[in-house]
Amino acid sequence: GEDVEQSLFLSVREGDSSVINCTYTDSSSTYLYWYKQEPGAGLQLLTYIFSNMDMKQDQRLTVLLNKKDKHLSLRIADTQTGDSAIYFCAEMNSGGYQKVTFGTGTKLQVIP
Amino acid sequence: EAQVTQNPRYLITVTGKKLTVTCSQNMNHEYMSWYRQDPGLGLRQIYYSMNVEVTDKGDVPEGYKVSRKEKRNFPLILESPSPNQTSLYFCASSPPGQGNQPQHFGDGTRLSIL
């Protein structure tokens, strides 16, 4: 089945850039997503990228997709303490229904 | 306000005592799904439903049941809970169509089975 892998933990200093990486195995992925989970809350969609795109920028967020290597990254510029959360990479395959496979989540700790 | 509501938010119970976690959405979404979140494993799909009376197994369905009698509700049933079902559970919903329609998540239900 599909597999989505992330490193479990990342620590950065406030004001630095954060880069969270993700690899996936499904070559038929159509959409790839980044979700953010704050403590005690559900997941919220941060951004997504369609599989025929290489890059998407949205304010402080930059998503890079290397489809050949099946590698997705999320860069957060000028990281703030409010960015501390768990970030999930996810992919949707091209199957008959909207199956979304989530990664293991990366816990981002921002040090003041 | 558009939302997915889960109840209860927290539950501690004992092995074998049937329980139901309710999920309700007010966005008229066709697609609903249940996930469990465990440390180091991310979110794993338990069951999903593409519409009323249409449900199917996800990746980890063992020990769970669901029903979809109405569009807005998608309860998760544990007929005989066991300690390995201790986890954080999320319900999600989304409209049909392309993948640019994000899933909306509830705030989660933390279950502890003793």
Side-chain angles (χ1 to χ4, degrees):
Chain A
E2 303 86 3
D3 197 21
V4 180
E5 297 285 342
Q6 302 175 239
S7 54
L8 290 180
F9 191 75
L10 176 66
S11 179
V12 299
R13 293 209 173 273
E14 189 174 17
D16 288 349
S17 292
S18 309
V19 179
I20 303 172
N21 294 301
C22 169
T23 57
Y24 59 97
T25 58
D26 187 0
S27 58
S28 64
S29 294
T30 53
Y31 285 87
L32 295 116
Y33 309 90
W34 285 104
Y35 281 84
K36 178 182 181 183
Q37 182 184 32
E38 298 189 6
L43 280 69
Q44 288 187 302
L45 182 70
L46 275 181
T47 186
Y48 67 90
I49 189 168
F50 189 53
S51 57
N52 67 354
M53 298 169 64
D54 299 322
M55 186 183 89
K56 181 177 181 181
Q57 188 152 2
D58 183 2
Q59 299 182 332
R60 291 191 298 122
L61 305 178
T62 303
V63 178
L64 294 178
L65 175 60
N66 182 328
K67 198 171 180 183
K68 174 175 167 287
D69 294 338
K70 300 192 185 70
H71 182 267
L72 182 75
S73 68
L74 174 70
R75 179 177 180 268
I76 305 173
D78 186 26
T79 312
Q80 303 297 306
T81 53
D83 295 323
S84 294
I86 300 176
Y87 291 82
F88 288 93
C89 168
E91 61 94 16
M92 174 184 285
N93 66 21
S94 58
Y97 79 99
Q98 297 168 242
K99 179 169 173 59
V100 176
T101 302
F102 286 84
T104 49
T106 299
K107 185 171 184 178
L108 175 64
Q109 180 188 46
V110 182
I111 303 166
Chain B
E1 181 190 349
Q3 57 186 6
V4 177
T5 304
Q6 296 178 225
N7 278 298
R9 292 290 313 278
Y10 305 91
L11 179 64
I12 301 173
T13 187
V14 295
T15 299
K17 186 176 180 183
K18 180 180 177 179
L19 68 91
T20 299
V21 185
T22 63
C23 174
S24 181
Q25 50 95 2
N26 62 1
M27 295 165 280
N28 204 35
H29 287 165
E30 281 83 0
Y31 182 84
M32 297 186 75
S33 186
W34 275 104
Y35 297 89
R36 60 178 288 173
Q37 181 180 1
D38 300 289
L41 297 176
L43 268 73
R44 295 178 292 168
Q45 191 179 53
I46 303 170
Y47 269 94
Y48 66 94
S49 169
M50 297 186 73
N51 214 326
V52 175
E53 301 291 2
V54 180
T55 64
D56 212 340
K57 296 177 181 178
D59 298 316
V60 288
E62 293 78 20
Y64 305 95
K65 285 173 59 177
V66 292
S67 69
R68 188 90 184 273
K69 294 184 171 56
E70 307 162 280
K71 200 172 191 179
R72 63 183 293 126
N73 296 322
F74 190 45
L76 178 70
I77 303 154
L78 285 72
E79 293 270 4
S80 183
S82 62
N84 64 10
Q85 292 177 298
T86 292
S87 187
L88 178 59
Y89 292 85
F90 288 101
C91 180
S93 74
S94 64
Q98 299 303 310
N100 57 354
Q101 302 286 345
Q103 293 194 60
H104 295 256
F105 283 81
D107 286 337
T109 295
R110 188 168 290 281
L111 288 184
S112 294
I113 316 294
L114 305 177

